Amino acid sequence: MRTLSLVALFPVVARADAPTIDAALARAYFAEARRLSDADAGALWGRRLYGPMLFADARTAAVVGNEPDAEGKLAPRDGLYAGTLADTVPIANTATAFGGKRWTMVMWPLPDAPYARGRLLAHELFHRIQDDLGFPAASPANAHLDGVDGRTWLLLEWRALAEALIRAGAERRRAVEDALAFRAHRRALAGPAAADEERALEINEGLAEYTGYRLCGLPANVLPDRAAARLEDPPAGGFSRNFAYRSGPAYGLLLDAVRPGWRARLTARSDLGALLAGATGLRPDAGSALDRAKRYDGERLIAAEKAAEERRLARVAEHRRRFVDGPALRLPLTAAVSYSFDPNGIEAIDSERSVYERLHVSDEWGVLDATAGAMVARRDGRPIEATVADPARSAGGAKGDGWTLRLGPGWSLAPGTRAGELTVVKAR
């Protein structure tokens, strides 16, 4: 199974053979990625990050690589290796297997701003080697972070982390203590699974984004301020799948300040907050969180989040109407599934089901493209089913408002367990 984070806001809507990627610019960006890796020289993670890379245009499926693949799927062109991806290959910012190699894939076009581009390149270069480093990718639901308590205390943790990043001495120490108290309080409210789910995504996306900050080319002394500014600019929508992009760099940079070399003791089971608590000797009482929140305009934030919760619950009710109670196409997900999505467009219905604003799925039964909502159900952290609403049969598959299904050979539609419900079955 491959889980891919799609950070551009357009889906795969067309496939074409015509090249759409500027070869000269692609060569310059490959060279830039190599320079960022060479400047680090393996110091951050004990090995160089640069390796096989692909730039892929999701609008046309054009792809260019910095080296040949092992199966001849890419052809030499303008000093690069070019081709067109089949629609069974999700296009995303991720690490991916293609043509007999493991690649860093980055969606085209890349950011124009050099440091934002450098951060993206370094982030995705980390994903290609993270398994070798002992940090396997994980994508837990973290549904509690879309509820009022999860959102409120995460935002307060971010406010305290932002202060810690830009302060020194006793002021930094107090802000770190506040952040750890808010973190502990949130997890106590959410239940025993919350800490493990948050930890897993911070190790996956948080370390990757920390790597992006460290290797993007910015001077080291400005990184804390950049990370703090991002903490003060929360993403729109739910936090369940994107929080680690902000929390991870904050904890990593604070650990750099108080315990250089912390990465040498890092494991896949490490919790970044616990590491910072150990490095500073701080063990704040979660019960002090309400008093501490006053330093961060907590009363106003709590009131605002309670009002926002009413709007969220109305959206969740609509999600249930569309994907749980109404006519739907339910697609089982196998171990062979790969899917891409926008991490900023996910909202949890409950601990096992989330609605993805945009979702591209490839599995044994075919390819699903959804641009106006799809639900993914999980069991024990593993995705087991994708659901789209109001299905209608079409040539080669099915379609609905904002989604299409193209069935693979030997697969067909069949009635589901409820009236108006469809599923897929393999011909015998």
Side-chain angles (χ1 to χ4, degrees), residues 319-357:
H319 294 329
R320 288 183 179 276
R321 185 195 68 77
R322 289 184 65 199
F323 300 110
V324 180
D325 300 327
L329 169 64
R330 305 195 186 282
L331 300 163
L333 303 179
T334 73
V337 68
S338 60
Y339 61 104
S340 58
F341 56 90
D342 173 11
N344 295 309
I346 302 173
E347 186 163 62
I349 295 178
D350 53 35
S351 62
E352 295 184 340
R353 294 173 293 190
S354 296
V355 172
Y356 290 59
E357 181 180 349

Side-chain angles (χ1 to χ4, degrees), residues 4-17:
L4 315 174
S5 297
L6 176 64
V7 298
L9 296 184
F10 48 80
V12 179
V13 295
R15 302 272 161 169
D17 292 330

Side-chain angles (χ1 to χ4, degrees), residues 157-402:
E157 180 186 1
W158 285 354
R159 290 183 180 186
L161 287 172
E163 283 295 307
L165 285 163
I166 63 174
R167 305 296 177 184
E171 289 182 305
R172 167 173 284 180
R173 185 173 178 84
R174 185 178 73 171
V176 167
E177 190 172 28
D178 290 341
L180 294 174
F182 299 148
R183 186 178 178 94
H185 183 61
R186 178 182 70 249
R187 292 176 171 184
L189 292 172
D196 195 53
E197 289 197 358
E198 290 182 17
R199 175 205 57 75
L201 197 61
E202 283 181 340
I203 290 294
N204 182 19
E205 296 294 357
L207 291 183
E209 191 69 352
Y210 161 76
T211 302
Y213 274 85
R214 284 290 309 269
L215 303 190
C216 70
L218 280 168
N221 65 306
V222 308
L223 295 180
D225 182 67
R226 292 289 182 105
R230 197 170 180 201
L231 288 166
E232 292 187 321
D233 182 26
F239 293 169
S240 58
R241 188 50 178 73
N242 58 26
F243 80 95
Y245 292 81
R246 285 165 171 78
S247 298
Y251 279 104
L253 292 171
L254 287 168
L255 282 164
D256 286 344
V258 300
R259 181 167 285 177
W262 62 275
R263 296 178 305 280
R265 295 180 290 276
L266 190 68
T267 74
R269 299 296 303 173
S270 296
D271 182 284
L272 299 182
L275 290 176
L276 185 59
T280 55
L282 294 169
R283 294 291 189 276
D285 177 12
S288 67
L290 280 170
D291 286 337
R292 294 173 184 272
K294 296 174 183 177
R295 289 199 279 266
Y296 304 92
D297 201 13
E299 291 182 356
R300 183 180 300 180
L301 175 63
I302 290 169
E305 286 302 317
K306 285 182 177 178
E309 178 70 353
E310 294 182 10
R311 298 189 293 273
R312 186 188 74 86
L313 291 176
R315 293 194 303 273
V316 168
E318 174 62 13
H319 294 329
R320 288 183 179 276
R321 185 195 68 77
R322 289 184 65 199
F323 300 110
V324 180
D325 300 327
L329 169 64
R330 305 195 186 282
L331 300 163
L333 303 179
T334 73
V337 68
S338 60
Y339 61 104
S340 58
F341 56 90
D342 173 11
N344 295 309
I346 302 173
E347 186 163 62
I349 295 178
D350 53 35
S351 62
E352 295 184 340
R353 294 173 293 190
S354 296
V355 172
Y356 290 59
E357 181 180 349
R358 297 175 183 270
L359 184 69
H360 177 84
V361 182
S362 175
D363 207 326
E364 294 176 354
W365 37 257
V367 176
L368 171 71
D369 268 314
T371 62
M375 185 179 75
V376 174
R378 294 172 178 271
R379 182 180 299 141
D380 298 326
R382 178 188 172 278
I384 60 169
E385 185 180 76
T387 300
V388 284
D390 298 318
R393 296 174 185 265
S394 65
K399 63 182 180 180
D401 183 16

Side-chain angles (χ1 to χ4, degrees), residues 391-399 403 412-415 421-423:
R393 296 174 185 265
S394 65
K399 63 182 180 180
W403 64 267
S412 62
L413 298 173
E421 185 176 280
L422 293 175
T423 188

Side-chain angles (χ1 to χ4, degrees), residues 29-54 66-67 94-96 102-106 117-133 135 204-217 263:
Y29 289 165
F30 284 135
E32 180 178 351
R34 182 188 287 274
R35 285 196 302 271
L36 295 174
S37 176
D38 288 348
D40 171 62
L44 196 65
W45 295 112
R47 60 176 288 181
R48 293 177 184 270
L49 272 66
Y50 188 74
M53 291 189 71
L54 298 170
N66 62 340
E67 60 182 64
T94 190
T96 189
R102 185 164 178 80
W103 304 79
T104 294
M105 179 186 285
V106 181
R117 185 172 62 248
R119 192 175 77 225
L120 171 62
L121 289 169
H123 177 121
E124 301 308 333
L125 288 170
F126 172 85
H127 277 318
R128 188 183 64 85
I129 67 167
Q130 70 181 87
D131 284 359
D132 297 337
L133 296 174
F135 308 126
N204 182 19
E205 296 294 357
L207 291 183
E209 191 69 352
Y210 161 76
T211 302
Y213 274 85
R214 284 290 309 269
L215 303 190
C216 70
R263 296 178 305 280

